[in-house]
Amino acid sequence: MTIRNDAMAFSPLLAVFLFAVAICASWAILRLVPRPLRPQAGADSRNDGRTDGRYAAIDGMRGLLAYAVFIHHGIITWQYLHTGLWTLPPSRLYTQLGQSSVALFFMVTAFLFWDKLLKAGPEMDWPGFVSSRIYRVYPVYAVAVLLVAVLALASTGFEVRTGPLDLLRRLIGWATFKAPPINGLENTGQIVAYATWSLPYELLFYAALPALAFLVTPAHRLRPALVSVAATLILLLYFRNFSLAVLECFLGGIAAAHAIRRPGLVRFARSGRGLAVALAGLSAAVAGFDTAYAPLPVLGLGLFFVAIAADQSFRGALTCQPVLWLGEISYGVYLLHGIVIWTTITANAPVRSLVGEDAGLYALALAGTGILVVAVASLVHLAIERPAIMAGRRSRALRRNDRAERVPA
């Protein structure tokens, strides 16, 4: 008997339920994480003695944003099971859970590095910046690419269908942040829920940052700027499909980096009135527009983000330990959630037949999948992501020490 109920699948209550499950899963997993590796609950990122320059409210927000993208793709998967099409859901809420979240991720990137640039000025360590991005971005991405290749081959019976050279060329495409079909599987990108589309935008911002610094800050360093222009042109030619509507999201983060340098604005953003304005901006962007990638929704999201950058924690909701842990593992959640959805639901025939026509059962399956996403991302963070970040820090420290030793007394 068919019990399909799209109204249940698109109900806002489902999102609330899935967020609650994620926070509970994070709380449970934290009991297994050694105390020194746990995030510090309720931390004020500027006054708690931390030395890593982290912003606690932003960390917590990132965790919820990454999980919102998982929910977004979970709803799209529900549609895919019935239509065979990977398209945006008819629900504005579930569309914006994906698009607004990614827009805010771009703001986070722009804010963190523009803030670092404003602090460092002419002393900005550009080689260290590049090194940190490689150690931060690529290890988890490499895990995702490896899993995509294995799952694509498994979906095609582990038979090379396109020729070894073609297979190698497509694997190189994935290794360089494209998402071509592998071994004849046309929807290979669906294995990661097509989430990797945002990474070239991040790379483009990284590449353009030294040139932007040369243009708009007192730190006029020509050599990094020239390298930056060359790298930016290479990325523009390689990917070719950047959208200006998406790129303008980075402006919100740049604006926030300047806004937090105004003490009066920071005090307002942290106040109850600032909280209300932030929620109004977020609500207007999510409820009032069909897409996040347009000037007005970006403005609303920007108002919300300025408050977060000013350490508006929403009465501690963003800085409680389970939410901060979701922030710690957010990159893994973002990159790996599609793989978990693919293996547990999309490519799992028994599960598909069980939950495909019953929205209630699908909601439970999505909740279970979400728990697995948090668990897998936590494991990858502890085993791969965090050690790589620490290795990058050690490498940069050694390079700085070596440079200091070469300076004549």
Side-chain angles (χ1 to χ4, degrees):
M1 181 176 66
T2 298
I3 321 179
R4 179 180 173 186
N5 184 348
D6 283 343
M8 179 183 294
F10 298 134
S11 168
L13 294 178
L14 175 59
V16 174
F17 168 65
L18 292 173
F19 275 120
V21 169
I23 292 169
C24 290
S26 178
W27 177 87
I29 288 170
L30 273 172
R31 305 309 101 191
L32 306 175
V33 175
R35 284 188 179 275
L37 302 184
R38 297 178 189 176
Q40 191 172 0
D44 183 319
S45 56
R46 283 166 295 284
N47 300 316
D48 66 345
R50 295 167 72 183
T51 59
D52 56 4
R54 300 280 288 271
Y55 290 81
I58 288 179
D59 283 349
M61 182 190 70
R62 286 192 310 174
L64 297 181
L65 295 180
Y67 204 78
V69 175
F70 159 73
I71 296 173
H72 167 77
H73 288 141
I75 296 302
I76 291 178
T77 299
W78 166 259
Q79 291 187 145
Y80 176 81
L81 297 181
H82 300 104
T83 67
L85 300 174
W86 188 269
T87 58
L88 291 174
S91 163
R92 183 174 284 176
L93 170 65
Y94 285 103
T95 293
Q96 291 285 15
L97 280 178
Q99 291 191 356
S100 290
S101 295
V102 173
L104 285 165
F105 270 129
F106 290 148
M107 292 184 192
V108 170
T109 294
F111 168 79
L112 292 177
F113 291 106
W114 203 261
D115 179 59
K116 185 187 292 277
L117 176 64
L118 293 176
K119 290 176 180 175
E123 302 303 317
M124 182 72 174
D125 179 10
W126 293 116
F129 166 73
V130 174
S131 171
S132 73
R133 294 301 84 205
I134 293 172
Y135 280 100
R136 179 68 177 89
V137 172
Y138 213 83
V140 178
Y141 180 74
V143 171
V145 170
L146 177 62
L147 292 173
V148 166
V150 170
L151 291 171
L153 291 172
S155 297
T156 52
F158 287 104
E159 297 177 2
V160 179
R161 298 181 178 181
T162 59
L165 289 179
D166 182 78
L167 178 60
L168 178 61
R169 180 172 63 85
R170 293 174 185 275
L171 291 174
I172 291 173
W174 273 91
T176 53
F177 300 98
K178 287 190 173 182
I182 293 178
N183 206 35
L185 184 66
E186 291 300 320
N187 63 332
T188 300
Q190 190 179 331
I191 297 176
V192 287
Y194 298 99
T196 55
W197 75 268
S198 65
L199 296 182
Y201 284 90
E202 299 272 344
L203 296 178
L204 186 67
F205 180 80
Y206 299 154
L209 188 58
L212 293 173
F214 182 86
L215 292 174
V216 301
T217 70
H220 296 305
R221 295 171 61 185
L222 183 59
R223 183 180 297 177
L226 292 176
V227 173
S228 170
V229 170
T232 301
L233 290 175
I234 290 170
L235 289 174
L236 289 171
L237 291 172
Y238 182 65
F239 292 106
R240 293 179 179 272
N241 59 347
F242 291 107
S243 164
L244 287 176
V246 175
L247 287 170
E248 64 188 20
C249 298
F250 289 96
L251 296 176
I254 293 173
H258 290 279
I260 65 164
R261 283 162 170 77
R262 296 179 175 272
L265 184 56
V266 170
R267 285 194 299 272
F268 175 80
R270 293 181 179 181
S271 70
R273 289 180 298 165
L275 186 152
V277 170
L279 286 178
L282 178 64
S283 300
V286 171
F289 300 92
D290 293 326
T291 178
Y293 307 126
L296 286 178
V298 167
L299 178 61
L301 293 172
L303 287 174
F304 172 76
F305 181 71
V306 166
I308 302 296
D311 210 32
Q312 170 59 260
S313 67
F314 291 86
R315 303 290 190 264
L318 294 180
T319 54
C320 67
Q321 200 172 50
V323 174
L324 286 175
W325 182 250
L326 290 176
E328 289 286 325
I329 64 172
S330 59
Y331 185 48
V333 169
Y334 183 80
L335 276 186
L336 302 174
H337 75 267
I339 293 171
V340 181
I341 292 174
W342 177 272
T343 54
T344 58
I345 298 175
T346 308
N348 191 326
V351 172
R352 284 183 64 161
S353 63
L354 178 64
V355 307
E357 295 297 332
D358 187 326
L361 287 177
Y362 184 78
L364 292 176
L366 202 56
T369 301
I371 293 171
L372 281 176
V373 168
V374 176
V376 169
S378 296
L379 180 61
V380 170
H381 174 75
L382 293 171
I384 296 171
E385 183 179 17
R386 189 176 187 279
I389 292 171
M390 300 308 295
R393 290 177 181 173
R394 289 193 296 271
S395 173
R396 295 191 298 278
L398 288 172
R399 187 177 56 80
R400 283 194 298 267
N401 291 339
D402 182 60
R403 185 173 58 185
E405 290 175 359
R406 290 199 300 259
V407 173

